[in-house]
């Protein structure tokens, strides 16, 4: 009797601060979400960002980060592998990122949650519960645009894992 491989579809969750207002970014997110549907179940959770006063003090910025952290933490699933996007995180090539996702899905969990903070960054409360911190660059990007970068790289990772052609 032949063994059947049961392929459990990977759940990709993206918890992010801020709403996408620009149509061109919404269109890009829709396109990558559609492309990813072949490989994973994608769930994007957009959380409200806190208003940042002009000339905010360090204390005010910490309060904002903590409020956003409370909201983020409410949306994390216990069994999901948590990856926070942070400038101090490890950087990967696209091939290494693909292997990372594959390794997590095979050895840790069939659910990966990526966290994208708001313009003040992520609270240590979020960073401390993360399994891993990754960084796409030492440069700073708008968090709305970064969401598109993340979806594109996740899509690229699946293409690499499946030995499918994708532009370089």
């Amino acid at each position: 009797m032949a063994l059947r491989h049961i392929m459990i579809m990977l759940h990709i969750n993206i918890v992010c601060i801020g709403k996408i207002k620009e149509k061109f970014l919404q269109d890009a997110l829709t396109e990558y979400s559609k492309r990813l549907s072949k490989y994973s179940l994608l769930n994007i959770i957009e959380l409200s960002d806190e208003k940042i006063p002009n000339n905010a003090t360090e204390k005010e910025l910490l309060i904002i980060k903590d409020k956003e952290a409370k909201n983020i933490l409410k949306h994390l699933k216990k069994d999901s592998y948590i990856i926070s996007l942070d400038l101090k995180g490890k950087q990967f090539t696209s091939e290494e990122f693909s292997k990372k996702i594959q390794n997590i899905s095979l050895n840790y969990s069939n659910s990966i949650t990526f966290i994208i903070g708001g313009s003040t960054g992520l609270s240590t409360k979020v960073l401390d519960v993360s399994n891993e911190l990754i960084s796409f660059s030492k440069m700073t990007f708008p968090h709305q645009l970064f969401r598109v970068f993340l979806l594109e790289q996740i899509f690229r990772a699946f293409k690499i894992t499946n030995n499918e052609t994708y532009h370089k």
Side-chain angles (χ1 to χ4, degrees):
M1 176 157 48
L3 289 175
R4 277 205 256 149
H5 291 288
I6 299 172
M7 184 67 173
I8 297 172
M9 191 161 266
L10 184 62
H11 292 255
I12 301 284
N13 305 295
I14 299 175
V15 177
C16 42
I17 299 294
K19 305 273 186 222
I20 300 290
K21 297 171 185 94
E22 296 84 359
K23 185 175 178 349
F24 72 97
L25 291 175
Q26 290 172 344
D27 291 345
L29 290 171
T30 299
E31 178 60 30
Y32 280 111
S33 296
K34 189 168 52 174
R35 290 180 186 189
L36 277 166
S37 67
K38 174 180 175 185
Y39 304 102
S40 69
L41 299 171
L42 178 65
N43 183 27
I44 298 175
I45 302 164
E46 286 185 335
L47 305 174
S48 298
D49 50 355
E50 295 292 321
K51 296 284 182 224
I52 302 170
N54 290 338
N55 302 317
T57 65
E58 283 297 316
K59 185 177 181 182
E60 288 172 314
L61 293 176
L62 282 174
I63 291 168
I64 289 168
K65 280 186 188 183
D66 283 346
K67 284 182 182 177
E68 291 176 347
K70 280 182 187 169
N71 204 3
I72 290 169
L73 294 171
K74 282 191 249 177
H75 290 86
L76 300 182
K77 294 185 172 108
K78 203 178 214 178
D79 63 340
S80 191
Y81 191 93
I82 310 296
I83 299 175
S84 286
L85 287 296
D86 185 78
L87 286 172
K88 296 179 203 100
K90 182 177 179 186
Q91 293 186 7
F92 294 92
T93 65
S94 293
E95 290 78 11
E96 290 166 341
F97 186 62
S98 176
K99 286 179 184 159
K100 169 60 70 180
I101 289 174
Q102 188 175 18
N103 182 44
I104 293 167
S105 68
L106 292 173
N107 298 306
Y108 296 99
S109 177
N110 71 331
S111 174
I112 302 173
T113 300
F114 292 93
I115 302 173
I116 303 172
S119 49
T120 60
L122 289 169
S123 163
T124 54
K125 292 174 183 171
V126 173
L127 299 176
D128 290 346
V129 300
S130 301
N131 296 95
E132 192 156 357
L133 306 179
I134 65 170
S135 171
F136 277 27
S137 172
K138 291 181 181 180
M139 294 181 186
T140 302
F141 299 102
H143 54 278
Q144 293 91 346
L145 181 59
F146 189 78
R147 206 173 307 171
V148 176
F149 293 161
L150 177 60
L151 284 181
E152 190 281 333
Q153 283 299 304
I154 294 169
F155 175 67
R156 184 181 295 270
F158 282 111
K159 296 294 268 185
I160 291 168
T161 296
N162 290 294
N163 293 316
E164 297 171 4
T165 307
Y166 188 57
H167 65 310
K168 295 185 179 198

